[in-house]
Amino acid sequence: TMTSNAACKVKLLNKVYEIKCPEGEEANLLLAAKKLNDVIALNKSKFKQLDNFQTLLLAALDISHELVICKNEQEHQRH
């Protein structure tokens, strides 16, 4: 039977998670995980006093902020 979801293994904060992702999106998901890990590593080296949860929150905020900027630029180009 064909399913539209594939299992994809991603490593975040040195722990491996197996998550379902849409068929054909595995590469993008792995890139997203790499991006998140890169931002986490950057924040860990910059702010040594933060725990994993705080580092993850900061990384999520960084990436969300970047996404907002990208979406604003796209809107701007459309008009």
Side-chain angles (χ1 to χ4, degrees):
T1 55
M2 283 292 292
T3 58
S4 58
N5 281 336
C8 190
K9 283 193 170 92
V10 293
K11 193 175 185 183
L12 296 168
L13 284 167
N14 297 316
K15 196 173 168 199
V16 175
Y17 297 91
E18 194 168 304
I19 53 179
K20 286 187 178 136
C21 75
E23 206 72 57
E25 280 298 313
E26 296 93 337
N28 283 335
L29 194 65
L30 290 172
L31 275 175
K34 184 193 181 314
K35 163 97 177 160
L36 184 53
N37 279 318
D38 288 348
V39 177
I40 287 169
L42 190 70
N43 288 339
K44 269 186 182 296
S45 65
K46 226 192 295 182
F47 309 105
K48 303 210 187 309
Q49 75 281 10
L50 299 184
D51 64 27
N52 274 353
F53 180 72
Q54 291 169 320
T55 313
L56 188 59
L57 269 183
L58 198 57
L61 187 61
D62 279 348
I63 293 169
S64 298
H65 181 234
E66 201 176 297
L67 186 64
V68 167
I69 292 169
C70 285
K71 286 196 181 274
N72 285 345
E73 283 172 358
Q74 275 181 345
E75 279 300 305
H76 197 69
Q77 283 166 3
R78 221 175 280 145
H79 295 306

